[in-house]
């Protein structure tokens, strides 16, 4: 048992003070790139200003014989990186892999002052986060990193989902969670071979009507990921950290991608991964509130005055609870506008 008073004490002598709150920084898209690929590295200066988060991926999708090159490539990118609105993240290899220790050791030593968040895949329980937490504290102290490195866990095993609340609450470093639908499907023995998205076989159908053909019965496709995403959103809300949809693998289906991202946005997620440049604009559009929604929220907040009581606006009842809903939308609009004058203009908000 640890005293709650110790929760915010650094885990190594000389490590920085853990943060009391996870700062909200726009992260509508976490754009993945393979740092072992020289062509992709060369595109970083052009792509970085167009995304909220650029992530150097060292894990799956990087072949075993490219792991060292990917790590070295990310270090090269990190050394040239200037901290600004765009965040630099990495996804390291999993804790049981032969590469994790070298990944974290090298990244902390070489670019520990440039990285914002370390994404850890296949997190199964709070013990995984405790291990990473202590290791990062030791490395921060050893290297002299002044800003605590934050940790983002991918939820992609059945045990991880079962432990989701304790994972989120395991350390003040926890920044957020992403859904990892491909690994999660495999681990759960789900029978989809897609990366995220729906499945035409997962549906409910209206009842049979005697004397009519089964073809007349309407079927509605359901969302395979709803349960997991909803649990993630509640676990993150409990811990004061941020939930994200993960990857949508069918790059050729921008409409399906937009629908999945929007479901996640409406449920409470703040962003999603982009695996291809074409998904950047989709995530930006979906995870920014629509100007009409922002205008409506502003109207409700203005007409509700001190936020108590009830008023009718256009036939819709407003009260203390709806004003809170509207404040959520307005706060997001303000947070996003602070770094995006175009969005600020669309919302009619002043930028600082
Ligand atoms: C992502 O890592 C996934 O497994 O879907
Ligand atoms: Mg995965």
């Amino acid at each position: 048992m640890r005293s709650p008073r110790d929760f915010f004490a650094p885990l190594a002598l000389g490590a920085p003070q853990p943060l009391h709150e996870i700062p909200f920084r726009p992260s509508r898209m976490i754009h993945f790139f393979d740092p072992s690929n020289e062509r992709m590295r060369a595109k970083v200066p052009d792509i970085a200003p167009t995304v909220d988060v650029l992530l150097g991926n060292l894990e799956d999708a990087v072949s075993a014989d490219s792991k060292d090159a990917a790590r070295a490539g990310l270090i090269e990118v990190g050394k040239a990186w200037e901290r600004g609105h765009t965040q630099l993240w990495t996804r390291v290899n999993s804790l049981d892999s032969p590469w994790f220790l070298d990944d974290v050791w090298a990244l902390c030593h070489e670019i520990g002052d440039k990285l914002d968040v370390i994404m850890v895949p296949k997190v199964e329980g709070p013990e995984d986060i405790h291990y990473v937490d202590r290791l990062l504290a030791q490395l921060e102290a050893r290297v002299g990193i002044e800003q605590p490195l934050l940790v983002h866990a991918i939820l992609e095993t059945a045990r991880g989902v079962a432990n989701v609340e304790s994972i989120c609450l395991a350390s003040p470093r926890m920044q957020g969670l992403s859904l990892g639908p491909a690994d999660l499907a495999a681990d759960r023995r789900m029978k989809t071979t897609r990366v995220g998205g729906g499945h035409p076989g997962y549906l409910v159908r209206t009842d049979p009507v005697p004397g009519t053909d089964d073809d007349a019965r309407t079927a509605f496709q359901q969302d395979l990921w709803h349960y997991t995403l909803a649990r993630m959103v509640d676990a993150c809300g409990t811990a004061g950290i941020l939930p994200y949809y993960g990857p949508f693998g069918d790059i050729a289906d921008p409409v399906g991608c937009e629908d999945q991202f929007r479901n996640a946005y409406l449920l409470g997620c703040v962003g999603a991964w982009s695996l291809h440049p074409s998904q950047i604009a989709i995530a930006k559009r979906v995870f920014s509130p629509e100007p009409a929604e922002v205008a409506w929220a502003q109207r409700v907040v203005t007409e509700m005055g001190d936020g108590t009581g009830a008023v009718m606006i256009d036939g819709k009842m407003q009260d203390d609870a709806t004003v809170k809903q509207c404040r959520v939308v307005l706060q997001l609009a303000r947070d996003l506008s602070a770094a995006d004058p175009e969005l600020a203009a669309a919302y009619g908000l002043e930028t600082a």
Side-chain angles (χ1 to χ4, degrees), residues 204-231:
V204 288
R205 193 181 298 276
T206 53
D207 284 353
V209 179
T212 61
D213 210 305
D214 274 345
D215 288 350
R217 294 166 63 189
T218 317
F220 299 92
Q221 196 172 315
Q222 307 292 296
D223 186 351
L224 278 174
W225 305 108
H226 177 80
Y227 154 76
T228 314
L229 220 51
R231 278 203 65 180

mmCIF file of all heavy atoms in Angstrom, residues 204-231:
data_model
loop_
_atom_site.group_PDB
_atom_site.id
_atom_site.type_symbol
_atom_site.label_atom_id
_atom_site.label_comp_id
_atom_site.label_asym_id
_atom_site.label_seq_id
_atom_site.Cartn_x
_atom_site.Cartn_y
_atom_site.Cartn_z
ATOM 1 N N VAL A 204 -28.289 -6.607 -35.992
ATOM 2 C CA VAL A 204 -29.568 -7.095 -35.459
ATOM 3 C C VAL A 204 -30.618 -6.911 -36.554
ATOM 4 O O VAL A 204 -30.493 -6.032 -37.411
ATOM 5 C CB VAL A 204 -30.026 -6.354 -34.176
ATOM 6 C CG1 VAL A 204 -29.188 -6.736 -32.988
ATOM 7 C CG2 VAL A 204 -30.030 -4.857 -34.372
ATOM 8 N N ARG A 205 -31.659 -7.769 -36.496
ATOM 9 C CA ARG A 205 -32.662 -7.787 -37.569
ATOM 10 C C ARG A 205 -34.049 -7.689 -36.947
ATOM 11 O O ARG A 205 -34.271 -8.173 -35.831
ATOM 12 C CB ARG A 205 -32.521 -9.114 -38.340
ATOM 13 C CG ARG A 205 -33.241 -9.186 -39.660
ATOM 14 C CD ARG A 205 -33.036 -10.543 -40.313
ATOM 15 N NE ARG A 205 -31.644 -10.838 -40.636
ATOM 16 C CZ ARG A 205 -31.025 -10.439 -41.740
ATOM 17 N NH1 ARG A 205 -31.670 -9.751 -42.646
ATOM 18 N NH2 ARG A 205 -29.756 -10.745 -41.949
ATOM 19 N N THR A 206 -34.946 -7.064 -37.656
ATOM 20 C CA THR A 206 -36.321 -6.979 -37.156
ATOM 21 C C THR A 206 -36.953 -8.377 -37.131
ATOM 22 O O THR A 206 -36.489 -9.294 -37.803
ATOM 23 C CB THR A 206 -37.173 -6.044 -38.048
ATOM 24 O OG1 THR A 206 -37.040 -6.472 -39.402
ATOM 25 C CG2 THR A 206 -36.748 -4.600 -37.913
ATOM 26 N N ASP A 207 -38.011 -8.521 -36.337
ATOM 27 C CA ASP A 207 -38.665 -9.829 -36.158
ATOM 28 C C ASP A 207 -39.256 -10.358 -37.467
ATOM 29 O O ASP A 207 -39.613 -9.565 -38.346
ATOM 30 C CB ASP A 207 -39.825 -9.700 -35.152
ATOM 31 C CG ASP A 207 -39.291 -9.603 -33.733
ATOM 32 O OD1 ASP A 207 -38.072 -9.776 -33.550
ATOM 33 O OD2 ASP A 207 -40.103 -9.357 -32.823
ATOM 34 N N PRO A 208 -39.399 -11.689 -37.560
ATOM 35 C CA PRO A 208 -40.088 -12.236 -38.743
ATOM 36 C C PRO A 208 -41.564 -11.835 -38.728
ATOM 37 O O PRO A 208 -42.162 -11.720 -37.657
ATOM 38 C CB PRO A 208 -39.947 -13.749 -38.585
ATOM 39 C CG PRO A 208 -39.536 -13.993 -37.189
ATOM 40 C CD PRO A 208 -38.966 -12.731 -36.620
ATOM 41 N N VAL A 209 -42.101 -11.571 -39.913
ATOM 42 C CA VAL A 209 -43.541 -11.265 -40.014
ATOM 43 C C VAL A 209 -44.185 -12.440 -40.752
ATOM 44 O O VAL A 209 -43.800 -12.724 -41.892
ATOM 45 C CB VAL A 209 -43.778 -9.943 -40.787
ATOM 46 C CG1 VAL A 209 -45.278 -9.648 -40.911
ATOM 47 C CG2 VAL A 209 -43.053 -8.800 -40.114
ATOM 48 N N PRO A 210 -45.118 -13.182 -40.090
ATOM 49 C CA PRO A 210 -45.708 -14.366 -40.731
ATOM 50 C C PRO A 210 -46.256 -14.020 -42.107
ATOM 51 O O PRO A 210 -46.907 -12.985 -42.290
ATOM 52 C CB PRO A 210 -46.837 -14.774 -39.771
ATOM 53 C CG PRO A 210 -46.468 -14.158 -38.461
ATOM 54 C CD PRO A 210 -45.684 -12.919 -38.759
ATOM 55 N N GLY A 211 -45.949 -14.866 -43.072
ATOM 56 C CA GLY A 211 -46.478 -14.666 -44.427
ATOM 57 C C GLY A 211 -45.610 -13.764 -45.279
ATOM 58 O O GLY A 211 -45.905 -13.565 -46.458
ATOM 59 N N THR A 212 -44.554 -13.158 -44.706
ATOM 60 C CA THR A 212 -43.689 -12.313 -45.563
ATOM 61 C C THR A 212 -42.304 -12.935 -45.636
ATOM 62 O O THR A 212 -41.908 -13.741 -44.784
ATOM 63 C CB THR A 212 -43.545 -10.868 -45.019
ATOM 64 O OG1 THR A 212 -42.945 -10.931 -43.739
ATOM 65 C CG2 THR A 212 -44.868 -10.151 -44.948
ATOM 66 N N ASP A 213 -41.603 -12.516 -46.651
ATOM 67 C CA ASP A 213 -40.270 -13.026 -46.927
ATOM 68 C C ASP A 213 -39.268 -12.484 -45.917
ATOM 69 O O ASP A 213 -39.394 -11.339 -45.476
ATOM 70 C CB ASP A 213 -39.898 -12.475 -48.330
ATOM 71 C CG ASP A 213 -38.988 -13.422 -49.036
ATOM 72 O OD1 ASP A 213 -37.952 -13.735 -48.433
ATOM 73 O OD2 ASP A 213 -39.329 -13.835 -50.172
ATOM 74 N N ASP A 214 -38.251 -13.279 -45.566
ATOM 75 C CA ASP A 214 -37.191 -12.780 -44.676
ATOM 76 C C ASP A 214 -36.453 -11.583 -45.272
ATOM 77 O O ASP A 214 -35.898 -10.757 -44.547
ATOM 78 C CB ASP A 214 -36.175 -13.897 -44.386
ATOM 79 C CG ASP A 214 -36.623 -14.749 -43.200
ATOM 80 O OD1 ASP A 214 -37.526 -14.312 -42.464
ATOM 81 O OD2 ASP A 214 -36.072 -15.854 -43.031
ATOM 82 N N ASP A 215 -36.464 -11.498 -46.616
ATOM 83 C CA ASP A 215 -35.775 -10.375 -47.265
ATOM 84 C C ASP A 215 -36.372 -9.030 -46.861
ATOM 85 O O ASP A 215 -35.721 -7.988 -46.946
ATOM 86 C CB ASP A 215 -35.880 -10.480 -48.799
ATOM 87 C CG ASP A 215 -35.004 -11.605 -49.317
ATOM 88 O OD1 ASP A 215 -34.206 -12.128 -48.509
ATOM 89 O OD2 ASP A 215 -35.135 -11.960 -50.499
ATOM 90 N N ALA A 216 -37.647 -9.057 -46.453
ATOM 91 C CA ALA A 216 -38.309 -7.796 -46.090
ATOM 92 C C ALA A 216 -37.889 -7.325 -44.695
ATOM 93 O O ALA A 216 -38.231 -6.221 -44.276
ATOM 94 C CB ALA A 216 -39.825 -7.984 -46.136
ATOM 95 N N ARG A 217 -37.205 -8.161 -43.952
ATOM 96 C CA ARG A 217 -36.804 -7.775 -42.588
ATOM 97 C C ARG A 217 -35.559 -6.892 -42.639
ATOM 98 O O ARG A 217 -34.543 -7.254 -43.215
ATOM 99 C CB ARG A 217 -36.523 -9.030 -41.751
ATOM 100 C CG ARG A 217 -37.780 -9.837 -41.545
ATOM 101 C CD ARG A 217 -37.457 -11.214 -41.026
ATOM 102 N NE ARG A 217 -36.817 -11.162 -39.726
ATOM 103 C CZ ARG A 217 -36.274 -12.226 -39.134
ATOM 104 N NH1 ARG A 217 -36.279 -13.405 -39.735
ATOM 105 N NH2 ARG A 217 -35.742 -12.107 -37.954
ATOM 106 N N THR A 218 -35.677 -5.731 -42.022
ATOM 107 C CA THR A 218 -34.553 -4.791 -42.056
ATOM 108 C C THR A 218 -33.483 -5.227 -41.056
ATOM 109 O O THR A 218 -33.809 -5.606 -39.930
ATOM 110 C CB THR A 218 -35.043 -3.376 -41.668
ATOM 111 O OG1 THR A 218 -36.270 -3.146 -42.336
ATOM 112 C CG2 THR A 218 -34.029 -2.310 -42.016
ATOM 113 N N ALA A 219 -32.239 -5.146 -41.475
ATOM 114 C CA ALA A 219 -31.124 -5.442 -40.565
ATOM 115 C C ALA A 219 -30.314 -4.165 -40.357
ATOM 116 O O ALA A 219 -30.167 -3.356 -41.275
ATOM 117 C CB ALA A 219 -30.244 -6.530 -41.159
ATOM 118 N N PHE A 220 -29.811 -3.987 -39.145
ATOM 119 C CA PHE A 220 -28.996 -2.809 -38.830
ATOM 120 C C PHE A 220 -27.625 -3.272 -38.357
ATOM 121 O O PHE A 220 -27.532 -4.074 -37.427
ATOM 122 C CB PHE A 220 -29.635 -1.974 -37.715
ATOM 123 C CG PHE A 220 -30.984 -1.444 -38.088
ATOM 124 C CD1 PHE A 220 -32.133 -2.174 -37.774
ATOM 125 C CD2 PHE A 220 -31.116 -0.240 -38.751
ATOM 126 C CE1 PHE A 220 -33.377 -1.693 -38.118
ATOM 127 C CE2 PHE A 220 -32.366 0.245 -39.095
ATOM 128 C CZ PHE A 220 -33.505 -0.487 -38.783
ATOM 129 N N GLN A 221 -26.600 -2.740 -38.997
ATOM 130 C CA GLN A 221 -25.251 -3.098 -38.575
ATOM 131 C C GLN A 221 -24.941 -2.432 -37.229
ATOM 132 O O GLN A 221 -25.296 -1.268 -37.013
ATOM 133 C CB GLN A 221 -24.266 -2.628 -39.643
ATOM 134 C CG GLN A 221 -22.906 -3.285 -39.510
ATOM 135 C CD GLN A 221 -22.013 -2.960 -40.684
ATOM 136 O OE1 GLN A 221 -22.453 -3.025 -41.829
ATOM 137 N NE2 GLN A 221 -20.789 -2.603 -40.404
ATOM 138 N N GLN A 222 -24.319 -3.172 -36.327
ATOM 139 C CA GLN A 222 -23.965 -2.638 -35.009
ATOM 140 C C GLN A 222 -22.462 -2.330 -34.971
ATOM 141 O O GLN A 222 -21.715 -2.791 -35.835
ATOM 142 C CB GLN A 222 -24.289 -3.664 -33.919
ATOM 143 C CG GLN A 222 -25.708 -4.176 -33.956
ATOM 144 C CD GLN A 222 -26.700 -3.097 -33.599
ATOM 145 O OE1 GLN A 222 -26.700 -2.597 -32.488
ATOM 146 N NE2 GLN A 222 -27.549 -2.727 -34.542
ATOM 147 N N ASP A 223 -22.058 -1.598 -33.933
ATOM 148 C CA ASP A 223 -20.648 -1.223 -33.827
ATOM 149 C C ASP A 223 -19.909 -2.227 -32.932
ATOM 150 O O ASP A 223 -20.168 -2.307 -31.733
ATOM 151 C CB ASP A 223 -20.550 0.199 -33.254
ATOM 152 C CG ASP A 223 -19.122 0.722 -33.255
ATOM 153 O OD1 ASP A 223 -18.197 -0.062 -33.538
ATOM 154 O OD2 ASP A 223 -18.945 1.919 -32.972
ATOM 155 N N LEU A 224 -18.977 -2.958 -33.538
ATOM 156 C CA LEU A 224 -18.187 -3.968 -32.810
ATOM 157 C C LEU A 224 -17.402 -3.381 -31.634
ATOM 158 O O LEU A 224 -17.032 -4.099 -30.721
ATOM 159 C CB LEU A 224 -17.132 -4.559 -33.752
ATOM 160 C CG LEU A 224 -17.483 -5.664 -34.716
ATOM 161 C CD1 LEU A 224 -16.277 -5.943 -35.608
ATOM 162 C CD2 LEU A 224 -17.851 -6.914 -33.953
ATOM 163 N N TRP A 225 -17.093 -2.098 -31.713
ATOM 164 C CA TRP A 225 -16.146 -1.508 -30.766
ATOM 165 C C TRP A 225 -16.812 -0.653 -29.698
ATOM 166 O O TRP A 225 -16.142 -0.074 -28.840
ATOM 167 C CB TRP A 225 -15.096 -0.670 -31.534
ATOM 168 C CG TRP A 225 -14.447 -1.533 -32.560
ATOM 169 C CD1 TRP A 225 -14.617 -1.482 -33.913
ATOM 170 C CD2 TRP A 225 -13.607 -2.658 -32.309
ATOM 171 N NE1 TRP A 225 -13.929 -2.487 -34.516
ATOM 172 C CE2 TRP A 225 -13.291 -3.232 -33.551
ATOM 173 C CE3 TRP A 225 -13.084 -3.237 -31.145
ATOM 174 C CZ2 TRP A 225 -12.482 -4.357 -33.663
ATOM 175 C CZ3 TRP A 225 -12.281 -4.349 -31.264
ATOM 176 C CH2 TRP A 225 -11.988 -4.891 -32.514
ATOM 177 N N HIS A 226 -18.132 -0.596 -29.752
ATOM 178 C CA HIS A 226 -18.842 0.315 -28.855
ATOM 179 C C HIS A 226 -18.552 0.017 -27.376
ATOM 180 O O HIS A 226 -18.253 0.912 -26.593
ATOM 181 C CB HIS A 226 -20.350 0.252 -29.115
ATOM 182 C CG HIS A 226 -21.138 1.109 -28.190
ATOM 183 N ND1 HIS A 226 -21.257 2.462 -28.370
ATOM 184 C CD2 HIS A 226 -21.786 0.818 -27.039
ATOM 185 C CE1 HIS A 226 -21.969 2.963 -27.372
ATOM 186 N NE2 HIS A 226 -22.296 1.988 -26.559
ATOM 187 N N TYR A 227 -18.647 -1.257 -27.016
ATOM 188 C CA TYR A 227 -18.462 -1.635 -25.605
ATOM 189 C C TYR A 227 -17.078 -1.214 -25.099
ATOM 190 O O TYR A 227 -16.941 -0.582 -24.046
ATOM 191 C CB TYR A 227 -18.665 -3.149 -25.439
ATOM 192 C CG TYR A 227 -17.949 -3.742 -24.263
ATOM 193 C CD1 TYR A 227 -18.443 -3.562 -22.961
ATOM 194 C CD2 TYR A 227 -16.765 -4.464 -24.420
ATOM 195 C CE1 TYR A 227 -17.771 -4.094 -21.862
ATOM 196 C CE2 TYR A 227 -16.094 -4.995 -23.331
ATOM 197 C CZ TYR A 227 -16.590 -4.809 -22.058
ATOM 198 O OH TYR A 227 -15.920 -5.320 -20.984
ATOM 199 N N THR A 228 -16.053 -1.549 -25.884
ATOM 200 C CA THR A 228 -14.686 -1.265 -25.429
ATOM 201 C C THR A 228 -14.451 0.242 -25.343
ATOM 202 O O THR A 228 -13.887 0.754 -24.360
ATOM 203 C CB THR A 228 -13.648 -1.889 -26.391
ATOM 204 O OG1 THR A 228 -14.038 -3.223 -26.672
ATOM 205 C CG2 THR A 228 -12.274 -1.882 -25.787
ATOM 206 N N LEU A 229 -14.915 0.949 -26.377
ATOM 207 C CA LEU A 229 -14.699 2.389 -26.405
ATOM 208 C C LEU A 229 -15.415 3.082 -25.245
ATOM 209 O O LEU A 229 -14.866 3.975 -24.595
ATOM 210 C CB LEU A 229 -15.211 2.922 -27.744
ATOM 211 C CG LEU A 229 -14.390 3.991 -28.424
ATOM 212 C CD1 LEU A 229 -12.934 3.617 -28.555
ATOM 213 C CD2 LEU A 229 -14.961 4.284 -29.803
ATOM 214 N N ALA A 230 -16.636 2.633 -24.964
ATOM 215 C CA ALA A 230 -17.394 3.249 -23.873
ATOM 216 C C ALA A 230 -16.691 2.997 -22.539
ATOM 217 O O ALA A 230 -16.604 3.892 -21.693
ATOM 218 C CB ALA A 230 -18.824 2.706 -23.857
ATOM 219 N N ARG A 231 -16.160 1.795 -22.341
ATOM 220 C CA ARG A 231 -15.414 1.514 -21.100
ATOM 221 C C ARG A 231 -14.171 2.392 -21.002
ATOM 222 O O ARG A 231 -13.817 2.893 -19.941
ATOM 223 C CB ARG A 231 -14.972 0.044 -21.064
ATOM 224 C CG ARG A 231 -16.079 -0.867 -20.600
ATOM 225 C CD ARG A 231 -15.528 -2.148 -20.034
ATOM 226 N NE ARG A 231 -14.754 -1.928 -18.815
ATOM 227 C CZ ARG A 231 -14.167 -2.896 -18.130
ATOM 228 N NH1 ARG A 231 -14.254 -4.127 -18.554
ATOM 229 N NH2 ARG A 231 -13.490 -2.635 -17.029
#
